[in-house]
Amino acid sequence: MTDRGEAVDVAIAGGGLVGASLAVALAGSGLAVRVVDPVTAEAPTQPSYDDRNTALAPASRRILEALGLWPAIAAEAAPIRSIHVSEQGAFGITRMDAAGEGLDALGHVVPNRVLGRVLRERLGQLPEAVQQVTARVEAVDWDDNDAVAVRLDGDRSLSARLLVAADGTHSVLRERLGIPCDDSDYGQCGIVANVTPARDPQGRAYERFTPEGPLALLPLRGGHASLVWTVAPERAEALAGLPDDAFLAALQDAFGYRLGRFLRAGRRAVYPLRLSRSRQRITTRGVLVGNAARTLHPVAGQGFNLALRDVAELAERLHVAAGRGDDPGSPELLRAYAAARRDDHRRVTAFTDGLVRLFSNRLPGLRLARNLGLLGMELFPAARQQLMRQAMGRGGRPPRLARGLPLETPTHG
Ligand SMILES: Cc1cc2nc3c(=O)[nH]c(=O)nc-3n(C[C@H](O)[C@H](O)[C@H](O)COP(=O)(O)OP(=O)(O)OC[C@H]3O[C@@H](n4cnc5c(N)ncnc54)[C@H](O)[C@@H]3O)c2cc1C
């Protein structure tokens, strides 16, 4: 008989942004949780905590506040006070403004390394019930009804009542769980870099649609900006590899002079952009979260925000189950979780995908429609508010954490 290894309630495969957030959200539930990742959070090769920056919607901020993580993040977060949307060579412009909406900020931009550091520090302080395991998940078996056998490298294993696959876009777990994935390549790559313009963006984010794809500039602290520049794949590596001066000149061409001259560019990284959707997000004693479940184009900065709302919903249901002594991997719990999250997933995916496709299409008629669309949004606040609601992660019944409320594990006598 094979060694079934340590018995735990929840095994999370992947300790990136999403897996680590879920582990933190499960602290205090009383559940025995193991976060398994071959790359330790502090390793320079950790893919989740690289040079990117993440725009956090207000709902994400509330979740991070409720988890007690926000104060450490806030110290290095830059608020987005307004968003300016435009199309290269066109007349339509739309602006979204926090003050006009009675808000302090439309969102916050945070370096992924900061998110990684804060999550890592918290994971290190959690009670013994939640532990990190440095290993790769290699295989999964259902050799009994009550648990999943999770095989790790180095001949180790865990027996988990619930397996959470948080192992990213190219999820091995998704494949091992036999869940098909619909993949469509946008035929675009994103060049990511930190840049310094002559004028401080002062809390203004820019989304500029170019014939090759969208270019986003998000405000960072200290007058810097975070660039995600979508270009054709055949051009991406050459452009990213240009000497700083030539790269800045090309960027200036694409973005214009709204922030004056670009003075400096940091290290560039290139990401191929795709929409990948797993056909199911739950299976027997298994659930997919984060990029393993859905990888979105970064145009509207929705991927982690959406995943964090999944984390909030799943964690709440697991806390409640733990309090009642219920099975954390029961089909009822997983089905209820998936049903609660369905609409948000559909809305965000349709919004993000629609935005990329609308603005990537070169048909002349569409160009006019887009400009009227952008102008229309400027003139008709209802349409603009719809765009903003989506960008801010609103809509539907939010889980407790997304309302800024801590999770409680109710006890039943
Ligand atoms: C250019 C760009 C800009 C973005 N900007 C934003 C933004 O502004 N706002 C936003 O909300 N989202 C944004 N996103 C999306 C966001 O980065 C993702 O949603 C997020 O990184 C997903 O994290 P994850 O933890 O699911 O996956 P990953 O970050 O890929 O982490 C997966 C983890 O699983 C581990 N792993 C892999 N295989 C195994 C295995 N077999 N066993 C165990 N562990 C394993 C890996 O080591 C890794 O730690 C952006 C994405 C890109 C590409």
Side-chain angles (χ1 to χ4, degrees):
M1 198 178 133
T2 49
D3 174 17
R4 305 191 60 213
E6 187 190 13
V8 298
D9 295 306
V10 182
I12 304 173
L17 284 173
V18 179
S21 303
L22 179 63
V24 169
L26 290 179
S29 64
L31 294 169
V33 179
R34 298 293 174 269
V35 193
V36 185
D37 199 312
V39 190
T40 52
E42 45 281 278
T45 49
Q46 216 318 326
S48 236
Y49 312 139
D50 57 14
D51 284 339
R52 279 173 293 171
N53 297 282
T54 292
L56 294 172
S60 298
R61 172 192 168 158
R62 282 193 296 279
I63 293 170
L64 295 165
E65 264 168 0
L67 293 175
L69 300 171
W70 184 250
I73 294 171
E76 296 182 64
I80 301 175
R81 308 254 185 239
S82 63
I83 306 179
H84 179 285
V85 186
S86 63
E87 185 175 8
Q88 195 177 32
F91 52 83
I93 282 179
T94 194
R95 295 184 189 82
M96 289 167 262
D97 189 23
E101 303 302 318
L103 294 166
D104 158 49
L106 297 170
H108 286 82
V109 188
V110 183
N112 281 24
R113 289 199 191 287
V114 170
L115 291 171
R117 194 191 66 223
V118 172
L119 284 165
R120 181 177 74 233
E121 281 168 8
R122 175 55 66 85
L123 280 176
Q125 296 157 356
L126 292 182
E128 222 173 273
V130 182
Q131 283 176 25
Q132 302 177 74
V133 180
T134 307
R136 177 179 303 282
V137 175
E138 295 199 320
V140 182
D141 296 314
W142 289 268
D143 48 17
D144 81 36
N145 286 333
D146 299 327
V148 189
V150 185
R151 314 271 172 223
L152 314 182
D153 56 358
D155 253 352
R156 290 170 290 174
S157 50
L158 292 171
S159 169
R161 294 206 287 166
L162 176 65
L163 171 64
V164 181
D167 56 337
T169 305
H170 305 290
S171 171
V172 169
L173 265 287
R174 185 176 60 218
E175 196 195 304
R176 301 282 191 271
L177 292 168
I179 299 178
C181 182
D182 295 321
D183 226 346
S184 65
D185 194 332
Y186 284 113
Q188 297 174 337
C189 282
I191 301 178
V192 175
N194 290 345
V195 296
T196 310
R199 278 207 291 277
D200 187 327
Q202 293 189 318
R204 175 167 286 185
Y206 293 85
E207 184 89 63
R208 184 157 175 78
F209 292 91
T210 77
E212 276 184 278
L215 183 163
L217 265 184
L218 303 174
L220 292 174
R221 293 171 81 88
H224 307 295
S226 164
L227 169 73
V228 181
W229 185 6
T230 313
V231 297
E234 58 278 11
R235 214 163 79 87
E237 291 293 349
L239 192 55
L242 285 175
D244 288 0
D245 284 1
F247 178 77
L248 291 173
L251 173 62
Q252 199 86 59
D253 241 25
F255 182 75
Y257 284 83
R258 285 191 171 83
L259 289 173
R261 286 185 65 77
F262 286 105
L263 305 175
R264 274 193 300 279
R267 200 150 47 121
R268 272 84 76 185
V270 176
Y271 295 83
L273 302 178
R274 58 190 340 114
L275 170 64
S276 89
R277 271 177 290 190
S278 62
R279 295 225 188 120
Q280 294 157 239
R281 278 178 287 121
I282 55 168
T283 184
T284 310
R285 296 200 172 276
V287 55
L288 269 54
V289 292
N291 275 2
R294 188 152 301 213
T295 300
L296 299 171
H297 193 296
V299 57
Q302 299 274 332
F304 181 55
N305 289 302
L306 178 70
L308 209 47
R309 298 198 289 279
D310 288 343
V311 163
E313 183 74 42
L314 184 59
E316 183 172 338
R317 288 180 187 276
L318 289 171
H319 271 255
V320 171
R324 292 183 180 146
D326 288 350
D327 180 352
S330 74
E332 295 76 25
L333 185 152
L334 294 177
R335 277 201 292 266
Y337 159 75
R341 296 297 302 138
R342 190 168 299 133
D343 284 355
D344 195 13
H345 269 258
R346 280 195 186 140
R347 256 197 318 266
V348 170
T349 308
F351 167 73
T352 304
D353 189 47
L355 209 58
V356 181
R357 292 189 193 283
L358 175 67
F359 282 94
S360 303
N361 200 314
R362 295 176 195 207
L363 288 178
L366 269 183
R367 185 176 186 118
L368 180 64
R370 285 197 296 261
N371 287 316
L372 292 176
L374 285 180
L375 273 180
M377 277 198 275
E378 185 66 6
L379 299 175
F380 300 109
R384 201 174 56 228
Q385 271 167 9
Q386 178 58 30
L387 180 67
M388 206 151 93
R389 278 177 69 81
Q390 211 59 66
M392 293 172 64
R394 291 187 195 161
R397 183 201 70 90
R400 279 182 68 87
L401 285 174
R403 283 178 274 145
L405 303 172
L407 291 177
E408 290 153 4
T409 303
T411 38
H412 296 260

